[in-house]
Amino acid sequence: MTESPLMLTKGQNAELATAAVVIAVSISAPVDISALLVTAAGKVRSDADFVFYNQPDAPGVHLSAGTLRVDLSRVPPEIAQIRAVVTLDDQHASFGAYPPPTATLADAGGKPLYAYRIDGLGRESVIVAIELYRRGSGWKVRAVGQGYAGGFADLITDHGVVVDQPAIDSAAPAPASAPELIESVRSMPGEAKLSLEKRQVLDLRKREVAKVLLTKGAQGVRARVILVIDKTGSMAGLYKRKVVHQVVERMIPVAIQLDDNGALEPFLYGQKYAKLPDITVEDAERWCATFLHLNGVHAGIDYRHIGAVNDEIPIMQAILGSLQNTGQPTLVLFFTDGGFSKRREITQLMRAASRAPAFWQFIGLGPNNFGMLTKLDDLDGRVVDNAGFFAVRDIDQLSDAELYRLLLSEFPSWLRAARQAGVLR
């Protein structure tokens, strides 16, 4: 009896237990299959990382008879993702005119592993069907289903492939506008467990996050997202009014758009710190109820051990230590209502941290004294500008659009500078 593949839903990921796999797509329309081998920044290293009918080979990837044969053991270490692309032969057609295509993944012997039926397509003429991506020392597969109404040239230029402009058909559709691409923001399977009202709010927030990244040229970037929250006595009012709970909810769309698993890695800090379980979209409410406290023992963690006054050095050193031996971009979202009085120590730490693959975005809560955070732009002796800061008197009064603009406006610039300086592979 023929084995059936495991069906994936949009945004779902799964483990790959074999290094040799075959990707194929079934659809009742003439299509071309291609692949993009991209770095952690979401870009090809050169045009040689684009596999298509006129260039069927790249390290570890071979295109033959409409299928992609991938040997993950041969993929260069600087390649973080392999994206399988499906393009309609008729550039004036759209996937919405046909039954949904199905992407399949099998092992080298033909045994079915996974399948993904790509529903919900409309005016798109090209889609990223699935992607294979590194996770730790192994690889995983994700159902993507991201469409580009602007067409093939739009997609490949977004990934850094240089397009020969004279060869582009002048009758081809214009590149997709930001609103068109925002319709294809990333999703996680856990979103289906939310109420309709919560999904509607989340969708609006995800679009605002995607809009900032698109505007800044950072679409498709994957990055680890760390959330640091101040747990000291002066934060009592923000915890009591559940402002901190709302902060967590509003950071989840950032992780969905950037992190490969869509999860936030949270820490609470005072004099010491506690690393808490990851925050997923479907579990955020329970997570907040469990962990957002100033005192007591919660999930086996004694909050007295964390402390009630600020000392940023231990938590910053812990995060910096976790960045060693990885080329993956990391975005640290650091929420505090003051402190940072150890100017000399923090200055030294931020200079050392500029050699690590992380951007530190500090957010000041309330009308307080934030010490050296206000001087980050003047901090010399760094390989790259690796930090940003803004303060907001009442974050609940800040619109999602403005919040995400402030949070993410410097991150794309750091990505470019870090690549140029060799901080990112």
Side-chain angles (χ1 to χ4, degrees):
M1 184 175 64
T2 302
E3 294 187 48
S4 298
L6 177 65
M7 296 300 297
L8 302 178
T9 59
K10 186 171 184 176
Q12 186 176 358
N13 57 69
E15 300 285 347
L16 283 178
T18 179
V21 295
V22 180
I23 301 170
V25 176
S26 61
I27 182 176
S28 59
V31 295
D32 284 324
I33 309 298
S34 56
L36 292 159
L37 285 69
V38 300
T39 66
K43 304 291 185 181
V44 298
R45 300 168 301 174
S46 72
D47 291 359
D49 287 335
F50 173 38
V51 175
F52 64 113
Y53 60 92
N54 273 343
Q55 185 173 274
D57 291 288
V61 181
H62 174 66
L63 174 65
S64 176
T67 61
L68 291 167
R69 295 186 173 273
V70 182
D71 183 352
L72 296 171
S73 67
R74 296 182 53 239
V75 176
E78 57 266 34
I79 295 300
Q81 302 154 26
I82 300 169
R83 296 176 177 169
V85 178
V86 186
T87 308
L88 289 168
D89 281 0
D90 181 356
Q91 64 179 344
H92 301 295
S94 62
F95 280 103
Y98 302 95
T102 298
T104 59
L105 192 72
D107 67 15
K111 176 184 176 181
L113 300 175
Y114 302 106
Y116 168 41
R117 187 175 188 267
I118 310 171
D119 294 305
L121 298 174
R123 296 189 301 113
E124 302 90 345
S125 59
V126 57
I127 53 173
V128 177
I130 60 175
E131 66 180 15
L132 311 181
Y133 66 99
R134 292 186 189 273
R135 185 62 172 176
S137 60
W139 286 82
K140 299 181 77 173
V141 58
R142 181 178 14 253
V144 180
Q146 179 180 354
Y148 279 73
F152 188 67
D154 190 28
L155 178 138
I156 62 174
T157 53
D158 274 353
H159 287 81
V161 178
V162 177
V163 177
D164 182 8
Q165 292 295 337
I168 299 176
D169 186 345
S170 60
S177 64
E180 290 171 327
L181 295 183
I182 289 169
E183 294 296 332
S184 298
V185 296
R186 296 180 76 220
S187 297
M188 292 293 133
E191 295 176 31
K193 298 179 181 180
L194 302 179
S195 68
L196 176 60
E197 181 181 1
K198 286 185 176 292
R199 288 203 304 271
Q200 289 173 335
V201 172
L202 178 64
D203 285 344
L204 291 173
R205 287 174 171 169
K206 289 195 300 180
R207 292 188 185 197
E208 294 297 342
V209 172
K211 189 183 299 183
V212 176
L213 295 174
L214 285 164
T215 302
K216 297 290 183 178
Q219 64 272 25
V221 168
R222 295 290 172 263
R224 177 185 177 195
V225 183
I226 295 176
L227 176 64
V228 181
I229 304 174
D230 190 336
K231 187 218 74 72
T232 57
S234 58
M235 292 277 292
L238 297 176
Y239 276 79
K240 183 177 180 180
R241 298 196 305 275
K242 300 204 181 290
V243 173
V244 179
H245 295 62
Q246 282 299 311
V247 164
V248 171
E249 292 280 359
R250 295 172 83 179
M251 294 307 103
I252 287 172
V254 178
I256 289 175
Q257 195 67 21
L258 290 175
D259 188 88
D260 58 6
N261 280 343
L264 288 164
E265 296 182 40
F267 292 81
L268 292 182
Y269 89 98
Q271 291 164 299
K272 298 181 180 180
Y273 65 89
K275 188 180 189 311
L276 305 176
D278 286 359
I279 308 171
T280 58
V281 62
E282 70 271 24
D283 199 38
E285 188 171 345
R286 186 205 62 81
W287 188 95
C288 289
T290 302
F291 294 106
L292 290 183
H293 305 282
L294 295 181
N295 304 294
V297 178
H298 306 280
I301 300 171
D302 188 344
Y303 278 42
R304 291 176 301 178
H305 177 76
I306 302 174
V309 296
N310 295 90
D311 185 353
E312 289 75 23
I313 300 299
I315 176 61
M316 294 177 71
Q317 288 177 332
I319 292 173
L320 185 57
S322 76
L323 301 172
Q324 295 179 0
N325 302 318
T326 175
Q328 181 186 24
T330 299
L331 175 60
V332 182
L333 302 172
F334 201 117
F335 288 84
T336 179
D337 73 337
F340 286 76
S341 59
K342 296 183 176 180
R343 183 181 182 89
R344 182 177 62 84
E345 294 92 335
I346 293 176
T347 296
Q348 291 175 344
L349 191 149
M350 291 308 298
R351 285 172 176 157
S354 70
R355 299 179 178 86
F359 183 79
W360 302 70
Q361 181 61 62
F362 297 98
I363 304 96
L365 300 173
N368 304 314
N369 176 19
F370 295 101
M372 71 156 296
L373 290 181
T374 62
K375 306 294 184 183
L376 283 174
D377 283 343
D378 301 324
L379 184 60
D380 60 8
R382 292 178 292 171
V383 177
V384 292
D385 182 356
N386 62 335
F389 170 74
F390 67 91
V392 54
R393 180 178 292 269
D394 185 352
I395 197 168
D396 277 349
Q397 298 302 310
L398 198 64
S399 70
D400 289 329
E402 182 64 6
L403 175 60
Y404 297 134
R405 185 189 68 80
L406 291 168
L407 278 174
L408 299 170
S409 61
E410 294 188 64
F411 179 58
S413 299
W414 170 80
L415 285 170
R416 289 188 288 272
R419 286 196 295 268
Q420 292 172 359
V423 172
L424 288 176
R425 292 197 292 266

